[in-house]
């Protein structure tokens, strides 16, 4: 198997080495870190990992304004420029357990994009306060209602793309930054007729480092579904 896992990082120095070990334990899986000039030195840790695992770990150092959406775009485009058959994306904060990687890759035999889903068997989230569970559940209902998307978990950042499916997404035209970016990508995939699958994961809230979710990102998540709906009418 020829798989590239794209991981955006911002201040994940304690988490990245653990994550890298989990990813590299799977044969045929490579790691691409997209670091946004993390002040805590995550970029250097990523470079050390690349030196220790030549050919299996690569690092993209971004400069200029930081952003999750922009990092994904650059990372996914870089992954597409390699010969990877499957391209995965996941968070660095150990919320997404690398043990699920083979299951996501296997499901991509039958689907064009596979989501590591928190909401297939009830709610499989560890260490979230109640209000966070409600917010996320509400967000997913809202997104499904406004956009017509059908997956249970439209905001999960744990995904596996077949390369040809990802290549058809107009990454340069994607406009959102945070979670909304993930919704937008799914929207394009669905409109393109891609088969979207989901496999259950247990999501564990981060233990180390800080969350980067801001109110701007949340506001964008409210607006984006409408923007997508209206743009597809035109
Ligand atoms: N390159 C890059 N990565 C980012 C940026 N913001 C967040 N990330 C990474 O994106 C992933 C998800 O970010 P988190 O802060 O964990 O966001 P979250 O998972 O929605 O929030 P929590 O539940 O609080 O952890 C992590 O791997 C972050 O390091 C950014 O501006 N640039
Ligand atoms: Mg997180």
């Amino acid at each position: 198997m020829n798989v590239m896992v794209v991981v955006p990082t911002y201040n994940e120095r304690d988490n990245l080495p653990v994550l890298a070990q989990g990813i590299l334990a799977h044969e045929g899986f490579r790691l691409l870190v997209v670091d946004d000039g993390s002040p805590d030195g995550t970029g250097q840790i990523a470079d050390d990992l690349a030196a220790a695992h030549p050919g299996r770990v690569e690092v993209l150092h971004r400069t200029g304004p930081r952003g999750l959406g922009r990092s994904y775009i650059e990372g996914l485009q870089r992954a597409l420029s390699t010969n990877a058959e499957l391209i995965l994306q996941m968070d660095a904060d150990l919320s997404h357990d690398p043990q699920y990687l083979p299951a996501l890759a296997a499901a991509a035999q039958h689907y064009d994009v596979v989501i590591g889903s928190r909401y297939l068997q009830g709610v499989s989230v560890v260490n979230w306060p109640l209000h966070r569970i409600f917010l996320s559940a509400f967000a997913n209902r809202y997104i499904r209602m406004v956009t017509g998307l059908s997956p249970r978990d439209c905001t999960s950042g744990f995904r596996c793309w077949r390369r040809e499916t990802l290549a058809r997404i107009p990454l340069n035209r994607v406009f959102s930054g945070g979670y909304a970016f993930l919704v937008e990508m799914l929207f394009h995939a669905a409109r393109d007729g891609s088969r979207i699958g989901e496999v259950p994961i247990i999501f564990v809230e981060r233990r180390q480092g800080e969350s980067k979710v801001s109110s701007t990102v949340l506001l964008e998540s409210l607006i984006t579904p409408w923007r997508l709906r209206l743009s597809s009418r035109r």
Side-chain angles (χ1 to χ4, degrees):
M1 226 181 327
N2 187 345
V3 186
M4 179 77 99
V5 184
V6 178
V7 177
T9 56
Y10 190 73
N11 289 348
E12 302 287 1
R13 59 169 304 145
D14 295 322
N15 293 322
L16 184 60
V18 184
L19 179 78
Q21 197 184 14
I23 294 173
L24 298 179
H26 303 293
E27 209 187 311
F29 282 66
R30 284 176 290 155
L31 165 63
L32 171 62
V33 179
V34 188
D35 187 65
D36 243 337
S38 298
D40 77 345
T42 301
Q44 181 59 50
I45 289 169
D47 284 337
D48 295 345
L49 284 165
H53 304 278
R56 291 200 72 192
V57 179
E58 230 185 288
V59 192
L60 218 153
H61 294 280
R62 294 192 68 250
T63 49
R66 84 168 172 96
L68 188 54
R70 294 162 202 257
S71 298
Y72 272 135
I73 291 174
E74 276 186 39
L76 295 171
Q77 281 173 337
R78 166 72 78 92
L80 278 173
S81 76
T82 71
N83 59 354
E85 295 155 39
L86 295 179
I87 296 164
L88 275 119
Q89 54 184 117
M90 69 192 293
D91 292 352
D93 59 358
L94 307 178
S95 292
H96 300 150
D97 191 328
Q99 71 160 333
Y100 298 117
L101 288 171
L104 265 84
Q109 300 287 322
H110 311 287
Y111 295 99
D112 300 310
V113 51
V114 180
I115 304 170
S117 178
R118 297 162 289 186
Y119 305 118
L120 272 188
Q121 299 164 346
V123 180
S124 49
V125 171
V126 176
N127 285 345
W128 263 11
L130 207 55
H131 72 266
R132 184 93 196 252
I133 294 178
F134 277 118
L135 181 68
S136 180
F138 166 78
N140 269 286
R141 262 174 197 276
Y142 177 80
I143 289 160
R144 283 201 302 272
M145 200 180 71
V146 177
T147 61
L149 280 165
S150 56
R152 307 308 300 171
D153 196 345
C154 294
T155 53
S156 168
F158 201 1
R159 294 179 179 173
C160 177
W161 299 86
R162 295 174 72 106
R163 78 166 290 127
E164 61 277 13
T165 309
L166 183 62
R168 284 197 302 268
I169 300 221
L171 285 170
N172 286 321
R173 294 215 317 267
V174 172
F175 47 76
S176 343
Y179 289 108
F181 174 85
L182 296 165
V183 177
E184 211 181 325
M185 283 187 76
L186 265 195
F187 188 81
H188 284 293
R191 202 164 54 165
D192 197 43
S194 301
R195 297 162 300 169
I196 304 175
E198 288 182 275
V199 300
I201 62 153
I202 297 174
F203 177 100
V204 182
E205 181 54 9
R206 66 159 72 245
R207 298 207 173 91
Q208 305 262 16
E210 275 168 34
S211 169
K212 288 104 207 171
V213 180
S214 66
S215 45
T216 327
V217 164
L218 289 178
L219 182 68
E220 185 186 59
S221 315
L222 281 178
I223 297 167
T224 300
W226 285 103
R227 208 167 150 178
L228 290 170
R229 179 171 167 163
L230 296 173
S231 73
S232 72
R233 286 242 181 101
R234 256 182 263 125

